């Protein structure tokens, strides 16, 4: 494990949970429980489908979503729920060992992490008339393994936030969207992982991009970029090249927020990252529940362009799948 100033490192998590890292008082009647924010997102990238799901726990309210975008038919299937955390949601505070799940009469979403037994899986089942989405997926290490990046971020509210990112995992299994079956094999299916626990400002706005696939020369590429959240501290921006994470500098997102179906430009200030994202389909939501608001657009599609390294390597991308996002949250 390699740490830098105790705030970012790659490799194993090596803590029992995030309570000590966040100085968290998690007693049932602690006010901190209502300020703490937790989410676990897992995404699947396949030539025929882009899939994503997440469990979100804000202490006083929770949510879960799962979507599948059929890239051939250009059709989006989306299930999204917001509910009080009254026994329906579970979120263990360890990104390597534990469960993040939602279960109710409406359906289930179970994300399992078991590093000890080398097991990580996605189990999803949601169904409404004419709107069914199920997934049974095993997440596996690519050949040569892959190293996650961990970040303990200083936030403007004097409280920290912790996040783990991995882009370029492999996956196998099955996704079924309204009886259409997508068989996933590890040869052409990638996965991305975002696990976060911390204290964020009451109002937050960010852009995010993640993706994984093959560069034109066959190199396995993963990427995770964000803007708007961590600029006062560490940056989570990372590129994985054949499983090895390489930290990146500040990223600039340029796009037409009124026409998000148009291409997005994603570049780094040091010019090492020069990508164009081409949307194929879009998820949108504008929820106002009084105590919380969430407005986001999340196009699914593909990245093209170039990624350079400080030692003068250059990787050209023609069609690396993924998502980009604009999100405002009052939470």
């Amino acid at each position: 494990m390699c740490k830098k100033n105790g705030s970012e490192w790659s490799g194993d998590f090596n803590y029992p949970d995030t309570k000590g890292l966040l100085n968290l008082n998690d007693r049932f009647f602690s006010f901190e429980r209502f300020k703490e924010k937790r989410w676990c997102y897992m995404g699947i990238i396949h030539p025929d489908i882009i899939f994503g799901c997440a469990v979100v726990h804000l202490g006083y309210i929770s949510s879960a979503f799962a979507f599948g975008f059929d890239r051939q038919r250009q059709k989006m299937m989306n299930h999204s729920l917001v509910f009080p955390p009254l026994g329906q949601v579970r979120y263990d505070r360890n990104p390597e060992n534990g469960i993040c799940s939602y279960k109710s009469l409406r359906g289930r979403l179970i994300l399992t992490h078991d590093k000890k037994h080398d097991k990580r899986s996605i189990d999803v089942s949601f169904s409404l008339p004419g709107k069914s989405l199920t997934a049974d997926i095993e997440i596996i290490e690519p050949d040569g393994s892959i190293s996650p990046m961990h970040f303990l971020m200083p936030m403007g509210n004097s409280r920290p936030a912790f996040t783990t990112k991995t882009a370029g995992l492999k996956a196998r299994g099955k996704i079924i969207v309204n009886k259409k079956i997508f068989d996933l094999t590890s040869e052409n299916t990638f996965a991305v992982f975002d696990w976060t626990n911390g204290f964020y400002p009451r109002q937050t706005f960010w852009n995010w991009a993640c993706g994984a696939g093959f560069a034109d020369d066959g190199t396995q590429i993963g990427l995770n970029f964000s803007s708007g959240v961590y600029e006062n501290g560490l940056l989570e921006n990372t590129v994985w090249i054949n499983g090895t994470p390489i930290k990146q500098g500040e990223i600039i997102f340029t796009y037409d927020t009124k026409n998000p179906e148009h291409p997005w430009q994603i570049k780094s200030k040091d010019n090492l990252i020069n990508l164009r994202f081409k949307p194929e389909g879009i998820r949108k939501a504008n929820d106002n529940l009084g105590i919380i608001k969430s407005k986001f657009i999340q196009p699914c599609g593909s990245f093209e362009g170039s990624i350079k390294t400080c030692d003068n390597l250059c990787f050209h991308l023609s069609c690396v799948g993924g998502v980009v996002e604009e999100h405002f949250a009052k939470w």
Side-chain angles (χ1 to χ4, degrees):
M1 182 174 67
C2 176
K3 290 190 179 183
K4 181 180 179 181
N5 298 327
S7 296
E8 61 177 305
W9 67 98
S10 62
D12 296 333
F13 176 57
N14 280 350
Y15 293 89
D17 53 42
T18 51
K19 294 178 187 178
L21 290 173
L22 301 177
N23 299 316
L24 177 65
N25 178 358
D26 70 336
R27 289 179 298 180
F28 184 79
F29 293 105
S30 170
F31 188 60
E32 286 190 354
R33 290 172 59 92
F34 300 99
K35 293 183 176 181
E36 179 192 12
K37 298 169 175 64
R38 293 175 270 173
W39 65 84
C40 180
Y41 173 90
M42 295 211 72
I44 299 297
I45 300 159
H46 180 273
D48 297 326
I49 188 169
I50 294 177
F51 169 91
C53 60
V55 176
V56 183
H57 193 330
L58 304 183
Y60 54 89
I61 203 163
S62 300
S63 66
F65 70 79
F67 72 88
F69 175 66
D70 185 332
R71 304 180 75 178
Q72 304 303 317
R73 298 180 180 177
Q74 296 204 331
K75 290 185 177 182
M76 179 73 73
M77 171 69 70
N78 184 54
H79 286 266
S80 181
L81 306 96
V82 180
F83 48 89
L86 301 176
Q88 295 172 299
V89 65
R90 171 180 172 180
Y91 196 108
D92 295 336
R93 293 186 179 90
N94 187 309
E96 293 181 343
N97 295 287
I99 292 174
C100 300
S101 67
Y102 160 81
K103 297 180 183 179
S104 75
L105 295 176
R106 172 73 181 270
R108 70 177 183 272
L109 194 172
I110 306 171
L111 306 175
T112 302
H113 320 291
D114 186 351
K115 183 176 178 63
K116 181 178 179 181
H117 298 97
D118 195 25
K119 179 181 179 182
R120 184 177 290 175
S121 62
I122 302 171
D123 177 12
V124 171
S125 179
F126 288 108
S127 183
L128 288 173
K131 191 179 177 183
S132 65
L133 175 62
T134 64
D136 182 8
I137 302 169
E138 179 185 4
I139 308 300
I140 57 179
E141 296 265 327
D143 293 341
S145 77
I146 188 169
S147 183
M149 283 297 300
H150 310 286
F151 302 92
L152 183 61
M153 309 285 199
M155 302 300 293
N157 54 12
S158 76
R159 297 300 304 271
F162 173 82
T163 186
T164 290
K165 310 286 185 178
T166 315
L169 293 156
K170 302 305 290 285
R172 59 191 174 207
K174 185 175 295 185
I175 300 171
I176 305 176
V177 181
N178 274 349
K179 298 183 180 181
K180 182 177 179 180
I181 299 173
F182 296 87
D183 287 311
L184 313 177
T185 65
S186 60
E187 287 77 17
N188 64 352
T189 309
F190 288 89
V192 297
F193 178 55
D194 175 350
W195 191 101
T196 300
N197 183 192
F199 296 88
Y200 288 83
R202 176 78 173 112
Q203 291 191 172
T204 311
F205 177 89
W206 67 84
N207 289 123
W208 178 57
C210 72
F214 294 106
D216 292 354
D217 65 357
T219 300
Q220 294 187 35
I221 297 290
L223 58 92
N224 179 90
F225 303 136
S226 72
S227 176
V229 182
Y230 302 120
E231 276 69 16
N232 292 326
L234 296 173
L235 298 173
E236 66 174 25
N237 301 324
T238 308
V239 169
W240 284 262
I241 297 177
N242 286 330
T244 299
I246 301 175
K247 284 293 304 300
Q248 304 297 315
E250 190 171 345
I251 297 293
I252 300 170
F253 290 75
T254 304
Y255 60 100
D256 185 346
T257 189
K258 294 182 180 179
N259 298 285
E261 71 278 5
H262 293 173
W264 294 41
Q265 298 294 328
I266 300 169
K267 298 183 179 182
S268 61
K269 281 194 170 182
D270 58 14
N271 294 316
L272 294 179
I273 306 298
N274 188 350
L275 297 174
R276 182 173 183 262
F277 181 83
K278 298 186 296 183
E280 300 169 14
I282 301 178
R283 294 175 60 233
K284 295 182 180 181
N286 188 0
D287 300 319
N288 186 348
L289 303 178
I291 191 172
I292 66 169
K293 296 180 181 179
S294 177
K295 182 179 181 180
F296 76 86
I297 52 175
Q298 188 185 78
C300 303
S302 61
F303 298 90
E304 64 180 20
S306 64
I307 293 174
K308 298 179 182 179
T309 67
C310 293
D311 53 359
N312 295 320
L313 294 176
C314 184
F315 301 93
H316 295 280
L317 282 56
S318 296
C319 189
V320 169
V323 302
V324 295
E325 180 178 273
E326 174 192 280
H327 197 151
F328 167 80
K330 184 178 180 180
W331 51 355

